[in-house]
Amino acid sequence: MKQLDLMKELHVSSDTKIIMLVMDGLGGLPGERGLTELEAARTPNLDKLSENSILGLSTPISPGITPGSGPGHLGLFGYDPLAFPIGRGVLEALGIGLKLTPTAVAARGNFCSLDPDTGTITDRRAGRIPTEKCAELVNKLKPITIPGVKVTVEPVKDYRFALILDAPNLSDRLTETDPQRVGAKPLPVEALAPEAKETAGYFNEWIRKAFEILKSEHPANGCTLRGIAKDPGLPSYQEIYGLKSCAIATYPMYKGLARLVGMDVLDAGDTIATEIETLKAHWNTYDFFFFHVKKTDSSGEDGNFDAKVKVIEETDAVIPEIMALNPDVLIITGDHSTPSIMKSHSWHELPVLLYSKRFLRRDQVTSFGETSCIQGGLGHIRHVDLMPLALAHADRLTKYGA
Amino acid sequence: MKQLDLMKELHVSSDTKIIMLVMDGLGGLPGERGLTELEAARTPNLDKLSENSILGLSTPISPGITPGSGPGHLGLFGYDPLAFPIGRGVLEALGIGLKLTPTAVAARGNFCSLDPDTGTITDRRAGRIPTEKCAELVNKLKPITIPGVKVTVEPVKDYRFALILDAPNLSDRLTETDPQRVGAKPLPVEALAPEAKETAGYFNEWIRKAFEILKSEHPANGCTLRGIAKDPGLPSYQEIYGLKSCAIATYPMYKGLARLVGMDVLDAGDTIATEIETLKAHWNTYDFFFFHVKKTDSSGEDGNFDAKVKVIEETDAVIPEIMALNPDVLIITGDHSTPSIMKSHSWHELPVLLYSKRFLRRDQVTSFGETSCIQGGLGHIRHVDLMPLALAHADRLTKYGA
């Protein structure tokens, strides 16, 4: 039996509350002093919490596999990331609050710069135009129509936008148009299956009309489409776990991921402080709180070890406020590692801390770090194990079999 | 390739002997002194054995999942509990020594009390009538016949009995009759598939006749049927492991589980002392000994920390007698945790000790407990890993591939 079916069968109701605190890209690698970002950070609250928690290391997907944000979070949410691939277009669309019907096909659009003579790409991100410019250009694209198709186009951030086509019988078995290098022309959308030919035609028609509108713009006189996909139709948190759940996140993509599993997305402002206020304000309304801290990842991606340390310390500082809410279960981890020295996501395990008011095995670990967690009582687990453990500790799973 | 197929392919014969000592519900949680039952128990023999063993923690099914006794033992026996669900009716029938043919359908029966006027249930367990009363009532039900069907009904324990119908073409795709609450009438057996309609009719006919016989009884003037199921037809220990195996257990359910995988069930008396005598008496006859200690679980279920400690100490006391038999491999663990503070089964990992005369990696663990086992050389494994490890250490598995 698959894990989600098992959860669906075994979950029971309770008035317990679970928080999953995700520091994006939390895992690191030793820097100059031989310590990771988390180990270098001064985290008195996390360390104190470690004494009353069980710790371990968690692999997002499987050993050696570096996840994108989508698969990393799906794992945390308990959905096997290899069984549920999610197109980037879907994430972008959901991230800015667009709704996707079961027939809609979403693409992530990137404005780019084209050589006016040859039509080849000179900058795949159009000089990273600001969001305002992006919105202005998208407004010019909104009048594009395709007979029989509902067309939605909305700005996302910087040079990125979301495009959704909706009509009966569309397919997402389609290729991307980004040639992934400068000096090449954008590619046409091609059907990967006979049933996708009509949809490919619609996307190509939209691109032709968009290029016509954009041709006199600078630097964004073209665009590419990536990750063309339908909503995978994941079963919801309510359905599989019986949890009334919400997401507290500051960035569109994580809101989109949360929507994908049926979480309510709360207006959480832009900072950890506003996120904490949001958590407090909605404490009585939900059973499960996905609390997302973005900047651990961004600073890691920037290669800024000290900045990542600082974000971890900022997060540590709000732990007492979280604990003051008296959660039944609190899990602290990340979606994937983003070691500053790599400036990118990585495959390394995530330190994970499981605090529970009740039913908790203990270990001897008294600090929260990559090295200390090796000795943790949870051992080496996988992201998909976390939700079953959270539910069990929150008294929300009945036993399997007689 | 599935694990059982692999075992079937790779097992070789040997004259080595394996004991699996299962302390039911062994795993615990910290009590008043911060120690689990096993840690609080004085276990000089287990601790000494730990020095010459490799230790670890084992998950019965998967993280967070609390198993019933059936799935817990199937895992220990090396059968994926999620791939082989087993009906309670089958367990009850096998537990009291009834044979199930491949066409037989078994149900667990519960005597209950019905309101004589409305027919609704007033006590789902008929005041927990004693086993003697149960046997007396079952004797009155034995004359019930159904044309073309072989009917077997036998008392189990307290208010429980086993009912088996046997005829060609019976199906177990059937609903239960227990409405799971007082104030409701027993439900009819309903077919969950067209091929089960005839079988549903037979069960309902039996129930009608039984109610007619029971109507003047008190307090057991009715009954319900649960877990209606066929023997899942598991491959036997002999077939997959090449092991001549036996079970030394004092309680019906564990005898039934052992029969399910083709073990001989020995007459083992009622105490650990009689079980040890049984082990000694049959030492030369078998390759594999499933040795079951029940009362660790019962005392855990009763919430009696000290009683559980005492059963563990009693078991510790017989370890020298077991070791005097000079087993090649001895595994000591439990089917699931039953922490006294929870008074129920739980999902927590089981401490596991693997002693082998030969081929043994060692670790630094010198006591047998939940916390010490975190550092054990076996790491975190699953119950289904134990049989392959036992066979390997007993020189009973050849290599896979050239």
Side-chain angles (χ1 to χ4, degrees):
Chain A
M1 194 188 292
K2 292 288 200 322
Q3 179 165 312
L4 293 186
D5 294 329
L6 199 57
M7 292 294 105
K8 207 165 158 180
E9 180 183 316
L10 300 183
H11 79 250
V12 292
S13 63
S14 171
D15 57 2
T16 52
K17 290 184 187 291
I18 302 169
I19 303 175
M20 181 178 273
L21 168 53
V22 177
M23 286 189 256
D24 204 295
L26 175 64
L29 284 170
E32 284 172 21
R33 290 193 294 139
L35 298 174
T36 67
E37 298 89 330
L38 177 59
E39 290 166 350
R42 205 182 143 271
T43 53
N45 296 307
L46 286 168
D47 294 341
K48 189 175 156 213
L49 190 56
S50 299
E51 291 175 26
N52 298 306
S53 300
I54 190 162
L55 292 97
L57 290 164
S58 184
T59 295
I61 299 176
S62 61
I65 306 303
T66 298
S69 301
H73 277 85
L74 274 202
L76 290 175
F77 296 161
Y79 301 72
D80 176 0
L82 299 178
F84 298 106
I86 295 172
R88 190 82 183 205
V90 170
L91 291 181
E92 294 284 21
L94 294 174
I96 55 171
L98 299 177
K99 296 269 185 295
L100 289 176
T101 69
T103 54
V105 179
R108 166 175 166 170
N110 286 355
F111 285 111
C112 66
S113 306
L114 301 177
D115 181 304
D117 300 324
T118 63
T120 59
I121 296 175
T122 56
D123 185 332
R124 289 174 55 235
R125 297 180 183 87
R128 291 184 184 271
I129 52 168
T131 306
E132 299 70 36
K133 180 70 185 170
C134 178
E136 184 192 316
L137 293 169
V138 165
N139 272 334
K140 295 187 180 182
L141 299 179
K142 281 189 177 176
I144 296 174
T145 56
I146 298 169
V149 179
K150 184 176 176 222
V151 181
T152 308
V153 57
E154 292 292 345
V156 177
K157 205 166 197 236
D158 306 332
Y159 56 92
R160 305 199 313 268
F161 64 91
L163 170 66
I164 302 171
L165 303 190
D166 198 352
N169 305 319
L170 296 191
S171 165
D172 62 0
R173 303 288 312 282
L174 298 168
T175 62
E176 305 189 330
T177 77
D178 184 348
Q180 296 280 348
R181 61 185 183 91
V182 296
K185 288 186 188 182
L187 304 166
V189 174
E190 285 178 28
L192 293 167
E195 71 270 20
K197 280 197 173 173
E198 188 190 355
T199 319
Y202 293 146
F203 273 105
N204 287 323
E205 183 178 345
W206 186 89
I207 290 169
R208 192 175 48 71
K209 290 174 175 172
F211 277 34
E212 188 59 32
I213 291 168
L214 295 172
K215 68 179 177 194
S216 56
E217 298 291 335
H218 179 81
N221 61 341
C223 67
T224 57
L225 299 182
R226 299 177 62 181
I228 306 176
K230 287 187 170 186
D231 184 328
L234 296 177
S236 74
Y237 252 51
Q238 183 67 54
E239 192 180 343
I240 58 172
Y241 301 131
L243 290 172
K244 188 163 158 55
S245 61
C246 68
I248 298 172
T250 58
Y251 271 56
M253 174 174 298
Y254 311 98
K255 296 179 185 177
L257 280 162
R259 282 198 187 93
L260 215 53
V261 296
M263 289 184 195
D264 286 352
V265 174
L266 304 182
D267 185 356
D270 287 322
T271 66
I272 296 174
T274 55
E275 288 184 278
I276 286 287
E277 289 316 309
T278 308
L279 175 67
K280 288 180 191 169
H282 294 81
W283 185 244
N284 293 323
T285 313
Y286 294 95
D287 306 315
F288 181 92
F289 301 81
F290 160 50
F291 190 106
H292 185 262
V293 173
K294 171 63 185 169
K295 291 189 173 164
T296 23
D297 178 57
S298 350
S299 50
E301 293 258 18
D302 291 343
N304 193 334
F305 190 99
D306 295 339
K308 188 171 167 188
V309 167
K310 197 158 162 288
V311 181
I312 294 168
E313 291 179 346
E314 268 176 55
T315 309
D316 180 81
V318 300
I319 296 296
E321 290 185 78
I322 292 174
M323 292 308 292
L325 292 167
N326 197 20
D328 293 274
V329 173
L330 168 63
I331 287 177
I332 305 179
T333 188
D335 53 342
H336 52 73
S337 294
T338 305
S340 306
I341 61 165
M342 291 179 72
K343 296 189 183 180
S344 68
H345 293 197
S346 81
W347 63 91
H348 299 89
E349 288 173 299
L350 274 298
V352 55
L353 178 156
L354 168 63
Y355 161 84
S356 172
K357 267 206 294 211
R358 295 175 298 172
F359 315 141
L360 197 64
R361 279 273 172 81
R362 294 289 172 76
D363 55 31
Q364 308 291 318
V365 182
T366 57
S367 69
F368 188 45
E370 286 82 347
T371 308
S372 62
C373 281
I374 295 173
Q375 307 300 327
L378 284 175
H380 299 262
I381 58 175
R382 305 225 173 165
H383 273 18
V384 291
D385 297 326
L386 288 168
M387 280 303 300
L389 284 170
L391 290 167
H393 283 90
D395 210 10
R396 285 177 172 273
L397 285 183
T398 187
K399 76 178 168 191
Y400 172 73
Chain B
M1 195 189 290
K2 292 289 201 323
Q3 179 166 310
L4 293 186
D5 296 329
L6 199 58
M7 292 295 104
K8 206 166 159 179
E9 181 183 317
L10 301 183
H11 78 251
V12 292
S13 63
S14 170
D15 57 2
T16 52
K17 290 186 187 289
I18 302 168
I19 304 174
M20 181 178 273
L21 169 53
V22 177
M23 284 189 258
D24 205 295
L26 176 63
L29 284 171
E32 284 172 20
R33 290 192 293 141
L35 299 173
T36 67
E37 297 88 332
L38 177 58
E39 291 166 350
R42 206 183 143 270
T43 54
N45 297 305
L46 286 167
D47 294 342
K48 189 177 157 212
L49 190 57
S50 299
E51 291 176 27
N52 298 306
S53 300
I54 189 163
L55 291 97
L57 289 164
S58 184
T59 294
I61 299 178
S62 63
I65 305 304
T66 297
S69 299
H73 277 85
L74 275 200
L76 290 174
F77 296 161
Y79 301 72
D80 175 359
L82 298 178
F84 298 107
I86 297 173
R88 189 84 184 205
V90 169
L91 290 180
E92 293 283 22
L94 294 173
I96 55 169
L98 300 177
K99 296 269 185 295
L100 289 176
T101 69
T103 53
V105 179
R108 166 175 166 170
N110 286 355
F111 284 110
C112 66
S113 307
L114 302 177
D115 181 306
D117 300 322
T118 62
T120 58
I121 295 175
T122 55
D123 185 331
R124 287 175 57 237
R125 298 181 184 86
R128 292 185 184 270
I129 52 168
T131 307
E132 298 70 37
K133 180 71 185 172
C134 178
E136 184 192 316
L137 292 170
V138 164
N139 272 335
K140 295 186 180 181
L141 299 178
K142 281 189 178 175
I144 296 174
T145 56
I146 298 169
V149 180
K150 185 178 173 219
V151 181
T152 309
V153 57
E154 291 292 344
V156 177
K157 206 170 194 227
D158 304 333
Y159 57 93
R160 305 199 313 268
F161 63 90
L163 171 67
I164 304 171
L165 301 191
D166 198 353
N169 306 317
L170 296 191
S171 164
D172 62 359
R173 304 287 312 283
L174 299 168
T175 61
E176 305 189 329
T177 76
D178 184 349
Q180 297 279 347
R181 61 184 182 90
V182 296
K185 287 185 189 181
L187 305 165
V189 174
E190 284 178 29
L192 294 167
E195 70 270 21
K197 279 198 174 172
E198 190 190 351
T199 319
Y202 293 147
F203 273 105
N204 287 323
E205 184 178 342
W206 186 90
I207 291 170
R208 190 174 47 74
K209 291 174 174 172
F211 277 33
E212 189 58 33
I213 292 168
L214 296 171
K215 68 180 175 190
S216 55
E217 298 290 335
H218 179 79
N221 61 341
C223 66
T224 56
L225 300 181
R226 299 178 62 182
I228 307 176
K230 286 187 169 186
D231 183 328
L234 296 176
S236 74
Y237 252 51
Q238 183 68 55
E239 191 182 344
I240 58 172
Y241 301 131
L243 291 172
K244 188 163 160 53
S245 60
C246 68
I248 298 172
T250 58
Y251 270 56
M253 176 175 295
Y254 312 97
K255 296 179 186 178
L257 281 162
R259 282 199 186 92
L260 216 52
V261 296
M263 290 184 194
D264 286 351
V265 175
L266 305 181
D267 184 357
D270 288 322
T271 67
I272 296 174
T274 55
E275 288 185 279
I276 285 289
E277 289 316 309
T278 308
L279 175 67
K280 288 179 189 171
H282 294 81
W283 185 245
N284 293 322
T285 314
Y286 294 96
D287 307 314
F288 181 92
F289 302 81
F290 160 50
F291 191 108
H292 184 261
V293 173
K294 172 62 184 169
K295 292 188 173 165
T296 23
D297 179 57
S298 349
S299 49
E301 292 258 18
D302 291 342
N304 193 334
F305 190 99
D306 295 339
K308 187 171 168 188
V309 167
K310 195 158 164 286
V311 180
I312 294 168
E313 291 179 347
E314 270 176 53
T315 309
D316 181 79
V318 300
I319 296 295
E321 290 185 76
I322 292 174
M323 293 308 291
L325 293 168
N326 197 21
D328 293 273
V329 172
L330 169 62
I331 287 177
I332 305 178
T333 186
D335 54 341
H336 53 74
S337 294
T338 305
S340 307
I341 61 164
M342 292 180 73
K343 296 187 183 182
S344 68
H345 293 197
S346 81
W347 62 91
H348 299 90
E349 290 172 299
L350 273 299
V352 54
L353 178 156
L354 168 61
Y355 161 83
S356 172
K357 268 206 297 211
R358 297 174 298 171
F359 317 139
L360 196 65
R361 281 271 175 81
R362 295 287 172 77
D363 56 32
Q364 307 291 318
V365 182
T366 57
S367 69
F368 188 45
E370 286 82 349
T371 309
S372 62
C373 282
I374 294 172
Q375 308 302 327
L378 284 177
H380 299 258
I381 59 175
R382 303 222 175 169
H383 274 17
V384 291
D385 299 326
L386 288 168
M387 279 304 299
L389 285 170
L391 290 166
H393 282 89
D395 209 11
R396 284 177 171 272
L397 286 183
T398 188
K399 74 179 168 192
Y400 173 72

